[in-house]
């Protein structure tokens, strides 16, 4: 018999295309391979973390996509048990026709169940529903010590919460059980309204939270002066059966299978010219400035709008981009968000995409991102030589004000500010050392931030 072929190095990155590292990408067909593989290893889902959270330079990066079985679905109680490689899209295909939905979804339907747990993702409804971890009943975790543990918020709260938001560094989630949300129809009622400036954009997120629990503000990153921070607040809720007209009632659930545009391989230049983007922002704002509730057919346009453009990350060219997502206490949000937008414009690096959301009072794990206040996510092209320095400065400001950077989006933060942003960091490190004493689970993000040293 021939020995199995050794995996070869290949260049891999997160969704933002930066940084790029050489790693051995290995499909995880058998979980036992994790135990038998010497040295450090990283766990990767569908590659939707933006930075270096799911790659390991020079080591083995195990892809969980082959681990994609549905293990159990209780249609009466709304409980789903599945392996980590199942995507949000695949889950919705199974549960929506039965009258259920995931209570919390990320901004893309291509994220995996394991990725949602590792990043403890939050949606547009965090003030009402919390993060993904708040809807997990239990999960099976294989630590670096090789032991398989079934953990839950009740039975093993420390390991459970360290794993939720732990960026895949505490161990491998072999399976998880999620508590689902009952819905009457797969349709949504949406409402969009214009916001004249940053203050209005922030205030809009506190309007109608119970009536429309899903809310976010698209910000025009090019607006200046009195219009700085202007945008469109979009709110949505699941439609009741009584609201659905006869011609739409009874239609089967259909997910968004086609994309409007599919971007080719990354070019050597940025495909998003500044002038065209500025004009697009103005047109987009005018087109979305409607104030009457609208019944729309599906969830994709509300929850996963960017998925309509296949490989949209390639629009930023070979250099990729940086997504900078921060959370701040409410009392500091207006001033710092304004300063950040103005500073980025001053260095000719305005955000090509900017989204503002409200975060609620739900508590999470030691490395979970959501905290009470607001979060702003910015897509920034890597075209300005001043951008790294400016973001470093704002990291320190954010940390000093009790805020934090989202690790699932990060690709460049320095380790020195991490402890100030995540004050329970040492608590997390103790749990990792307990179940992964030899630091077998590593990533480039973990190495850069001192999480796996």
């Amino acid at each position: 018999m021939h020995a199995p072929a050794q995996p070869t190095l290949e260049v891999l990155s997160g969704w933002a295309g930066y940084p790029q590292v050489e790693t051995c990408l290995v499909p995880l067909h058998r979980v036992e391979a994790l135990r038998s593989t010497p040295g450090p290893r990283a766990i990767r889902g569908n590659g939707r973390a933006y930075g270096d959270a799911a790659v390991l330079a020079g080591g083995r990066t195990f892809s969980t996509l082959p681990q994609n079985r549905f293990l159990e679905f209780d249609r009466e109680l709304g409980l789903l048990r599945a392996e980590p490689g199942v995507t949000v899209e695949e889950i919705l295909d199974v549960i929506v026709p039965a009258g259920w939905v995931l209570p919390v979804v990320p901004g893309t339907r291509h994220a995996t169940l394991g990725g949602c747990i590792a990043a403890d993702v939050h949606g547009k409804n965090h003030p009402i529903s919390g993060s993904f971890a708040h809807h997990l009943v239990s999960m099976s975790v294989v630590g670096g010590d090789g032991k398989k543990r079934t953990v839950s918020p009740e039975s093993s709260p420390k390991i459970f919460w360290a794993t939720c938001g732990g960026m895949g560094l505490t161990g491998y989630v072999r399976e998880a059980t999620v508590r689902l949300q009952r819905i009457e129809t797969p349709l949504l009622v949406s409402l969009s309204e214009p916001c004249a400036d940053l203050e209005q954009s922030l205030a809009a997120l506190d309007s109608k939270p119970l009536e429309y629990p899903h809310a976010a503000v698209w910000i025009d990153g090019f607006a200046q002066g009195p219009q700085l921070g202007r945008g469109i607040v979009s709110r949505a809720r699941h439609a009741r059966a009584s609201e659905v007209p006869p011609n739409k009632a009874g239609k089967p659930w259909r997910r968004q299978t086609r994309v409007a545009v599919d971007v080719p391989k990354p070019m050597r230049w940025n495909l998003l010219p500044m002038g065209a983007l500025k004009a697009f922002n103005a047109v987009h704002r005018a087109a979305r400035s409607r104030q009457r509730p609208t019944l729309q057919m599906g969830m994709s346009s509300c929850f996963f709008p960017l998925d309509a453009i296949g490989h949209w990350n390639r629009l930023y060219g070979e250099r990729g981009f940086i997504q900078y997502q921060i959370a701040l206490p409410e009392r500091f949000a207006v001033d710092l968000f304004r300063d950040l937008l103005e500073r980025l414009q001053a260095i000719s690096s305005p955000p090509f995409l900017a989204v503002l959301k409200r975060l609620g009072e739900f508590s999470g794990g030691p490395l979970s991102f959501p905290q009470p206040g607001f979060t702003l996510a910015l897509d920034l092209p890597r075209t300005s030589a001043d951008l790294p320095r400016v973001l470093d400065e704002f990291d320190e400001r954010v940390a000093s004000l009790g805020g934090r950077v989202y690790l699932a989006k990060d690709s460049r933060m320095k380790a020195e500010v991490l402890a100030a942003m995540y004050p329970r960091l040492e608590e997390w490190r103790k749990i990792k050392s307990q179940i992964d004493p030899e630091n077998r689970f590593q990533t480039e993000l973990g190495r850069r931030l001192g999480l796996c040293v």
Side-chain angles (χ1 to χ4, degrees), residues 8 11 24 63-64 68 99 103 116 145 227 234 239 244 250 308 310 347 371 373 382 386 403 413 417 444:
T8 57
V11 176
C24 295
S63 169
T64 66
N68 63 347
C116 289
D145 57 5
Q227 296 180 325
S234 298
V244 179
I347 64 170
Q371 64 175 55
R382 295 182 61 240
D386 294 321
M413 187 170 67
V417 297
E444 289 307 293

Side-chain angles (χ1 to χ4, degrees), residues 74-364:
D74 189 322
R75 295 167 182 262
E76 297 300 319
L77 296 178
L79 297 174
L80 178 75
R81 186 165 63 92
E83 292 180 326
V86 174
T87 65
V88 169
E89 176 180 65
E90 292 167 338
I91 292 174
L92 293 177
D93 279 351
V94 169
I95 67 176
V96 173
W100 299 95
V101 73
L102 286 169
V104 173
V105 293
T108 174
R109 67 184 192 272
H110 301 301
T112 61
L113 175 59
C116 289
I117 295 170
D120 192 14
V121 298
H122 59 281
K124 298 177 180 180
N125 59 340
H126 186 268
I128 303 297
S129 299
S131 62
F132 197 85
H134 292 96
H135 305 276
L136 282 175
V137 177
S138 65
M139 54 186 169
S140 174
V141 180
V142 180
D145 57 5
K147 296 180 181 178
K148 177 183 173 183
R149 298 170 172 89
T150 298
V151 302
S152 72
E154 296 78 25
S155 66
S156 307
K158 290 185 177 180
I159 297 177
F160 177 90
W161 286 110
T163 301
C164 295
M167 303 308 301
L169 295 173
T170 61
Y172 172 68
V173 177
R174 189 164 187 169
E175 63 178 62
T177 300
V178 187
R179 182 177 291 105
L180 308 174
Q181 176 186 338
R182 172 72 78 179
I183 54 173
E184 294 184 32
T185 79
L187 308 182
L188 290 165
V189 176
S190 64
L191 176 66
S192 297
E193 300 176 39
C195 303
D197 54 29
L198 182 58
E199 286 83 354
Q200 279 196 18
S201 294
L202 290 166
L205 291 171
D206 287 330
S207 176
K208 306 174 183 177
L210 296 178
E211 184 180 359
Y212 291 92
H214 302 276
V217 179
W218 164 85
I219 296 290
D220 181 356
F222 293 85
Q224 299 177 341
Q227 296 180 325
L228 184 80
R230 72 178 183 180
I232 298 291
V233 58
S234 298
R235 306 183 182 94
R237 61 173 173 80
H238 287 281
R240 295 179 286 272
S242 60
E243 297 175 300
V244 179
N247 64 319
K248 293 183 178 180
K251 288 191 176 181
W253 156 254
R254 292 176 182 172
R255 63 178 166 94
Q256 178 180 306
T257 55
R258 295 182 180 180
V259 295
V261 179
D262 195 9
V263 181
K265 293 182 179 180
M267 302 299 176
R268 294 183 180 179
W269 57 86
N270 191 326
L271 294 179
L272 299 170
M274 198 77 71
L277 277 168
K278 189 173 182 179
F280 168 81
N281 275 267
V283 171
H284 177 70
R285 184 173 184 273
R288 295 292 300 276
S289 296
R290 63 178 186 271
Q291 297 193 34
R292 62 183 184 85
T294 302
L295 185 70
Q296 57 190 39
M297 278 301 295
M299 289 182 268
S300 294
S301 60
C302 174
F303 299 141
F304 320 120
L306 287 176
D307 286 344
I309 304 175
H311 302 100
W312 62 265
N313 56 333
R314 294 174 177 173
L315 291 169
Y316 287 88
E318 288 184 335
R319 286 177 57 82
F321 65 101
I322 290 173
Q323 182 165 109
Y324 188 59
Q325 183 168 0
I326 55 177
L328 274 178
E330 180 175 352
R331 64 186 182 277
F332 302 123
V334 172
D335 291 339
L336 188 135
F337 289 166
R338 180 188 293 113
D339 291 349
L340 177 57
L341 292 171
E342 289 178 341
R343 191 71 177 280
L344 292 171
Q345 291 176 353
I347 64 170
S348 300
S349 188
F352 285 7
L353 179 67
V355 177
L356 184 67
K357 290 183 288 190
R358 166 61 100 167
L359 297 174
E361 299 292 330
F362 287 85
S363 61

